[in-house]
Amino acid sequence: MPVSNFSITIDGVRLACQSVTPEPPAPAAPPPVMWANGDAPTIVMLHEALGTIRMWRDFPQRLANETGLTCLVYERRGHGTSDPQKVVPRPVDFHNEETDRFLHGLITQQNLKNPILFGHSDGATIALKYAARFPTVPRAVISLAAHVFVEDVTINGIETAAQTYASTDWKSRLERHHFDQTDTVFRAWVDTWRQPDFKNWQMIDELPAITCPALILQGDEDPFGSDQQVTTIRDHTGGPVTAHIIKGCGHIPHLEAPDDVLESVRHFLDTF
């Protein structure tokens, strides 16, 4: 079966997971990226601030098919069907717990050897931070729309999102994914970023510790971040970086421009 659902427990917290394996290629399809025997890593996928497994839609399967690799997708605490979030707003340094406790716990428990980290938005920030704090573990990082410092455009985008949540049916649409955790997961996003101390948050000084190859992608119409996020990551990261701005794309490149993302990933993986 290409898709299997399971859960893991880390320090008493249950996290929902899904494993997506490559489907047999279609006769006319290009072959997936080739890996030496026993050298094929797992891609660990990290969702955005409001994300769940289902909200990736068909992209994990497309990514698995394109790369020939298994994708392991998981829901962070407080998201989807994982255990609830206990503290809202979250601490300014909440990314550290996500890397040191949960992501490292998942990688260790699943015995993943040199995985590729694929993150979107908050998930991309967590992937980059993990690569900085555990530089010998990931084989590579693929970052979509990461934040490594706080911009006015980000705060403005979050304020607009809060107004939209209060005045439209967005909550009811999110309830299909987060169920009775919907209000909490939304507050865990907007209230955390609204904290006065959060304006000073940054991880730029950690970027030089990243030594694995990194692919940095962002849309040129992203309402939550400027291209300064991309150039800052590119200019400060310690390892080799491939950076690409996707034209006509907003904050969710893997859904808005999936072909561009997959092509970039394929070229990136072909380099090592």
Side-chain angles (χ1 to χ4, degrees):
M1 291 288 292
V3 176
S4 61
N5 297 301
F6 62 100
S7 64
I8 63 171
T9 300
I10 299 171
D11 293 342
V13 178
R14 187 189 61 80
L15 303 179
C17 302
Q18 184 176 87
S19 177
V20 182
T21 58
E23 298 171 317
V33 176
M34 298 301 295
W35 301 90
N37 290 338
D39 195 36
T42 296
I43 299 176
V44 178
M45 303 185 69
L46 299 103
H47 60 67
E48 74 274 28
L50 300 180
T52 63
I53 291 171
R54 289 178 56 213
M55 291 171 75
W56 286 102
R57 300 184 190 172
D58 68 341
F59 188 79
Q61 188 66 69
R62 293 190 64 184
L63 182 61
N65 294 348
E66 185 75 20
T67 62
L69 299 176
T70 296
C71 294
L72 194 162
V73 193
Y74 76 101
E75 293 173 340
R76 295 195 295 277
R77 184 176 193 171
H79 294 254
T81 59
S82 289
D83 277 353
Q85 178 67 248
K86 297 296 187 182
V87 179
V88 177
R90 293 171 294 181
V92 171
D93 64 353
F94 75 92
H95 300 98
N96 295 346
E97 181 180 44
E98 293 296 340
T99 59
D100 299 0
R101 182 182 179 190
F102 292 114
L103 180 53
H104 193 60
L106 178 145
I107 290 171
T108 301
Q109 190 177 127
Q110 295 297 301
N111 195 30
L112 303 180
K113 303 300 184 184
N114 301 120
I116 295 171
L117 305 181
F118 185 109
H120 171 230
S121 194
D122 264 2
T125 300
I126 293 165
L128 290 169
K129 184 172 275 283
Y130 185 90
R133 296 167 80 89
F134 299 90
T136 64
V137 177
R139 181 162 186 159
V141 173
I142 301 169
S143 161
L144 277 62
H147 299 94
V148 295
F149 63 97
V150 179
E151 298 181 274
D152 288 343
V153 65
T154 313
I155 301 301
N156 293 339
I158 287 171
E159 291 296 343
T160 299
Q163 294 169 15
T164 302
Y165 186 79
S167 61
T168 69
D169 67 344
W170 192 8
K171 176 182 176 179
S172 64
R173 288 185 284 121
L174 284 175
E175 283 176 333
R176 300 176 216 159
H177 305 281
H178 295 289
F179 313 104
D180 59 356
Q181 302 197 97
T182 303
D183 277 333
T184 303
V185 76
F186 193 84
R187 287 177 48 222
W189 175 41
V190 298
D191 291 356
T192 300
W193 281 75
R194 283 168 158 173
Q195 295 175 100
D197 288 347
F198 203 83
K199 291 183 178 180
N200 298 319
W201 173 86
Q202 56 86 21
M203 60 162 292
I204 299 171
D205 55 355
E206 295 189 63
L207 293 174
I210 300 175
T211 56
C212 67
L215 173 64
I216 312 301
L217 304 175
Q218 184 168 308
D220 67 342
E221 298 177 2
D222 191 332
F224 293 101
S226 76
D227 59 7
Q228 291 183 39
Q229 299 288 342
V230 174
T231 56
T232 298
I233 298 168
R234 181 196 66 198
D235 294 345
H236 290 81
T237 297
V241 176
T242 302
H244 178 53
I245 300 293
I246 302 173
K247 301 296 184 182
C249 180
H251 187 60
I252 315 176
H254 58 284
L255 298 185
E256 298 175 52
D259 292 341
D260 288 342
V261 172
L262 290 170
E263 182 179 5
S264 294
V265 169
R266 185 181 181 90
H267 288 319
F268 172 66
L269 296 182
D270 278 339
T271 64
F272 63 92

mmCIF file of all heavy atoms in Angstrom, residues 37-58:
data_model
loop_
_atom_site.group_PDB
_atom_site.id
_atom_site.type_symbol
_atom_site.label_atom_id
_atom_site.label_comp_id
_atom_site.label_asym_id
_atom_site.label_seq_id
_atom_site.Cartn_x
_atom_site.Cartn_y
_atom_site.Cartn_z
ATOM 1 N N ASN A 37 22.109 1.393 -3.521
ATOM 2 C CA ASN A 37 21.449 0.391 -2.690
ATOM 3 C C ASN A 37 21.683 0.673 -1.210
ATOM 4 O O ASN A 37 22.817 0.873 -0.772
ATOM 5 C CB ASN A 37 21.967 -1.003 -3.032
ATOM 6 C CG ASN A 37 21.500 -1.471 -4.395
ATOM 7 O OD1 ASN A 37 20.502 -0.977 -4.901
ATOM 8 N ND2 ASN A 37 22.223 -2.413 -4.981
ATOM 9 N N GLY A 38 20.601 0.714 -0.459
ATOM 10 C CA GLY A 38 20.700 0.930 0.972
ATOM 11 C C GLY A 38 20.989 2.356 1.373
ATOM 12 O O GLY A 38 21.159 2.656 2.561
ATOM 13 N N ASP A 39 21.014 3.265 0.386
ATOM 14 C CA ASP A 39 21.385 4.650 0.669
ATOM 15 C C ASP A 39 20.214 5.607 0.510
ATOM 16 O O ASP A 39 20.400 6.820 0.559
ATOM 17 C CB ASP A 39 22.531 5.065 -0.268
ATOM 18 C CG ASP A 39 23.224 6.341 0.190
ATOM 19 O OD1 ASP A 39 23.350 6.540 1.405
ATOM 20 O OD2 ASP A 39 23.611 7.145 -0.680
ATOM 21 N N ALA A 40 19.018 5.090 0.307
ATOM 22 C CA ALA A 40 17.868 5.940 0.056
ATOM 23 C C ALA A 40 17.326 6.504 1.370
ATOM 24 O O ALA A 40 16.871 5.754 2.233
ATOM 25 C CB ALA A 40 16.778 5.158 -0.660
ATOM 26 N N PRO A 41 17.362 7.831 1.547
ATOM 27 C CA PRO A 41 16.854 8.415 2.786
ATOM 28 C C PRO A 41 15.334 8.528 2.771
ATOM 29 O O PRO A 41 14.694 8.407 1.719
ATOM 30 C CB PRO A 41 17.495 9.809 2.795
ATOM 31 C CG PRO A 41 17.630 10.145 1.344
ATOM 32 C CD PRO A 41 17.919 8.847 0.636
ATOM 33 N N THR A 42 14.769 8.760 3.921
ATOM 34 C CA THR A 42 13.352 9.088 4.055
ATOM 35 C C THR A 42 13.201 10.603 4.037
ATOM 36 O O THR A 42 14.028 11.329 4.591
ATOM 37 C CB THR A 42 12.784 8.526 5.366
ATOM 38 O OG1 THR A 42 12.845 7.089 5.328
ATOM 39 C CG2 THR A 42 11.336 8.951 5.597
ATOM 40 N N ILE A 43 12.140 11.089 3.397
ATOM 41 C CA ILE A 43 11.808 12.504 3.446
ATOM 42 C C ILE A 43 10.826 12.724 4.597
ATOM 43 O O ILE A 43 9.749 12.123 4.622
ATOM 44 C CB ILE A 43 11.179 12.986 2.125
ATOM 45 C CG1 ILE A 43 12.158 12.800 0.967
ATOM 46 C CG2 ILE A 43 10.760 14.453 2.237
ATOM 47 C CD1 ILE A 43 11.583 13.174 -0.398
ATOM 48 N N VAL A 44 11.200 13.547 5.553
ATOM 49 C CA VAL A 44 10.316 13.893 6.665
ATOM 50 C C VAL A 44 9.669 15.236 6.346
ATOM 51 O O VAL A 44 10.358 16.234 6.130
ATOM 52 C CB VAL A 44 11.077 13.980 7.996
ATOM 53 C CG1 VAL A 44 10.140 14.399 9.130
ATOM 54 C CG2 VAL A 44 11.739 12.642 8.316
ATOM 55 N N MET A 45 8.330 15.258 6.316
ATOM 56 C CA MET A 45 7.592 16.449 5.905
ATOM 57 C C MET A 45 7.000 17.157 7.112
ATOM 58 O O MET A 45 6.329 16.533 7.945
ATOM 59 C CB MET A 45 6.508 16.076 4.900
ATOM 60 C CG MET A 45 7.066 15.362 3.671
ATOM 61 S SD MET A 45 5.839 15.028 2.375
ATOM 62 C CE MET A 45 5.491 16.695 1.798
ATOM 63 N N LEU A 46 7.252 18.466 7.196
ATOM 64 C CA LEU A 46 6.832 19.292 8.332
ATOM 65 C C LEU A 46 5.890 20.377 7.830
ATOM 66 O O LEU A 46 6.257 21.218 6.996
ATOM 67 C CB LEU A 46 8.055 19.916 9.012
ATOM 68 C CG LEU A 46 9.051 18.922 9.590
ATOM 69 C CD1 LEU A 46 10.277 18.805 8.683
ATOM 70 C CD2 LEU A 46 9.492 19.349 10.985
ATOM 71 N N HIS A 47 4.675 20.370 8.357
ATOM 72 C CA HIS A 47 3.628 21.260 7.865
ATOM 73 C C HIS A 47 3.721 22.670 8.449
ATOM 74 O O HIS A 47 4.488 22.941 9.363
ATOM 75 C CB HIS A 47 2.248 20.659 8.136
ATOM 76 C CG HIS A 47 1.965 20.416 9.596
ATOM 77 N ND1 HIS A 47 1.810 21.425 10.523
ATOM 78 C CD2 HIS A 47 1.804 19.256 10.304
ATOM 79 C CE1 HIS A 47 1.555 20.923 11.712
ATOM 80 N NE2 HIS A 47 1.555 19.601 11.607
ATOM 81 N N GLU A 48 2.863 23.542 7.920
ATOM 82 C CA GLU A 48 2.820 24.941 8.341
ATOM 83 C C GLU A 48 2.062 25.107 9.655
ATOM 84 O O GLU A 48 1.628 24.121 10.269
ATOM 85 C CB GLU A 48 2.181 25.799 7.242
ATOM 86 C CG GLU A 48 0.683 25.652 7.099
ATOM 87 C CD GLU A 48 0.263 24.498 6.199
ATOM 88 O OE1 GLU A 48 1.008 23.503 6.082
ATOM 89 O OE2 GLU A 48 -0.840 24.572 5.631
ATOM 90 N N ALA A 49 1.860 26.371 10.066
ATOM 91 C CA ALA A 49 1.292 26.671 11.387
ATOM 92 C C ALA A 49 -0.126 26.141 11.561
ATOM 93 O O ALA A 49 -0.540 25.852 12.688
ATOM 94 C CB ALA A 49 1.312 28.177 11.640
ATOM 95 N N LEU A 50 -0.895 26.029 10.486
ATOM 96 C CA LEU A 50 -2.265 25.521 10.575
ATOM 97 C C LEU A 50 -2.399 24.169 9.890
ATOM 98 O O LEU A 50 -3.508 23.722 9.614
ATOM 99 C CB LEU A 50 -3.247 26.515 9.937
ATOM 100 C CG LEU A 50 -3.305 27.912 10.546
ATOM 101 C CD1 LEU A 50 -4.320 28.775 9.788
ATOM 102 C CD2 LEU A 50 -3.674 27.861 12.029
ATOM 103 N N GLY A 51 -1.288 23.502 9.638
ATOM 104 C CA GLY A 51 -1.294 22.325 8.791
ATOM 105 C C GLY A 51 -1.678 21.025 9.482
ATOM 106 O O GLY A 51 -1.670 20.912 10.710
ATOM 107 N N THR A 52 -1.998 20.045 8.642
ATOM 108 C CA THR A 52 -2.251 18.668 9.056
ATOM 109 C C THR A 52 -1.738 17.755 7.947
ATOM 110 O O THR A 52 -1.324 18.220 6.875
ATOM 111 C CB THR A 52 -3.747 18.374 9.263
ATOM 112 O OG1 THR A 52 -4.424 18.530 8.004
ATOM 113 C CG2 THR A 52 -4.372 19.292 10.299
ATOM 114 N N ILE A 53 -1.817 16.466 8.175
ATOM 115 C CA ILE A 53 -1.450 15.509 7.132
ATOM 116 C C ILE A 53 -2.327 15.699 5.900
ATOM 117 O O ILE A 53 -1.831 15.798 4.771
ATOM 118 C CB ILE A 53 -1.567 14.067 7.666
ATOM 119 C CG1 ILE A 53 -0.478 13.784 8.719
ATOM 120 C CG2 ILE A 53 -1.482 13.053 6.525
ATOM 121 C CD1 ILE A 53 -0.649 12.473 9.455
ATOM 122 N N ARG A 54 -3.641 15.766 6.099
ATOM 123 C CA ARG A 54 -4.560 15.853 4.959
ATOM 124 C C ARG A 54 -4.375 17.137 4.164
ATOM 125 O O ARG A 54 -4.637 17.162 2.950
ATOM 126 C CB ARG A 54 -6.006 15.753 5.450
ATOM 127 C CG ARG A 54 -6.422 14.371 5.955
ATOM 128 C CD ARG A 54 -7.851 14.386 6.470
ATOM 129 N NE ARG A 54 -8.772 14.865 5.450
ATOM 130 C CZ ARG A 54 -9.868 15.551 5.714
ATOM 131 N NH1 ARG A 54 -10.175 15.881 6.966
ATOM 132 N NH2 ARG A 54 -10.676 15.933 4.747
ATOM 133 N N MET A 55 -3.916 18.193 4.804
ATOM 134 C CA MET A 55 -3.811 19.475 4.121
ATOM 135 C C MET A 55 -2.638 19.533 3.143
ATOM 136 O O MET A 55 -2.543 20.471 2.348
ATOM 137 C CB MET A 55 -3.758 20.616 5.138
ATOM 138 C CG MET A 55 -5.092 20.798 5.855
ATOM 139 S SD MET A 55 -5.059 21.957 7.240
ATOM 140 C CE MET A 55 -5.015 23.513 6.350
ATOM 141 N N TRP A 56 -1.754 18.527 3.167
ATOM 142 C CA TRP A 56 -0.755 18.409 2.108
ATOM 143 C C TRP A 56 -1.390 17.949 0.799
ATOM 144 O O TRP A 56 -0.769 18.005 -0.251
ATOM 145 C CB TRP A 56 0.322 17.400 2.506
ATOM 146 C CG TRP A 56 1.310 17.838 3.537
ATOM 147 C CD1 TRP A 56 1.311 17.483 4.864
ATOM 148 C CD2 TRP A 56 2.476 18.652 3.351
ATOM 149 N NE1 TRP A 56 2.401 18.038 5.503
ATOM 150 C CE2 TRP A 56 3.126 18.762 4.588
ATOM 151 C CE3 TRP A 56 3.020 19.299 2.237
ATOM 152 C CZ2 TRP A 56 4.304 19.492 4.758
ATOM 153 C CZ3 TRP A 56 4.184 20.038 2.397
ATOM 154 C CH2 TRP A 56 4.816 20.124 3.649
ATOM 155 N N ARG A 57 -2.626 17.428 0.882
ATOM 156 C CA ARG A 57 -3.355 16.883 -0.273
ATOM 157 C C ARG A 57 -2.544 15.762 -0.933
ATOM 158 O O ARG A 57 -2.063 14.870 -0.247
ATOM 159 C CB ARG A 57 -3.739 18.009 -1.241
ATOM 160 C CG ARG A 57 -4.630 19.071 -0.590
ATOM 161 C CD ARG A 57 -5.060 20.111 -1.586
ATOM 162 N NE ARG A 57 -5.702 21.245 -0.918
ATOM 163 C CZ ARG A 57 -6.047 22.368 -1.529
ATOM 164 N NH1 ARG A 57 -5.824 22.514 -2.824
ATOM 165 N NH2 ARG A 57 -6.622 23.344 -0.847
ATOM 166 N N ASP A 58 -2.387 15.813 -2.263
ATOM 167 C CA ASP A 58 -1.701 14.710 -2.939
ATOM 168 C C ASP A 58 -0.205 14.955 -3.090
ATOM 169 O O ASP A 58 0.491 14.148 -3.719
ATOM 170 C CB ASP A 58 -2.326 14.464 -4.315
ATOM 171 C CG ASP A 58 -2.076 15.608 -5.306
ATOM 172 O OD1 ASP A 58 -1.745 16.733 -4.861
ATOM 173 O OD2 ASP A 58 -2.239 15.390 -6.525
#
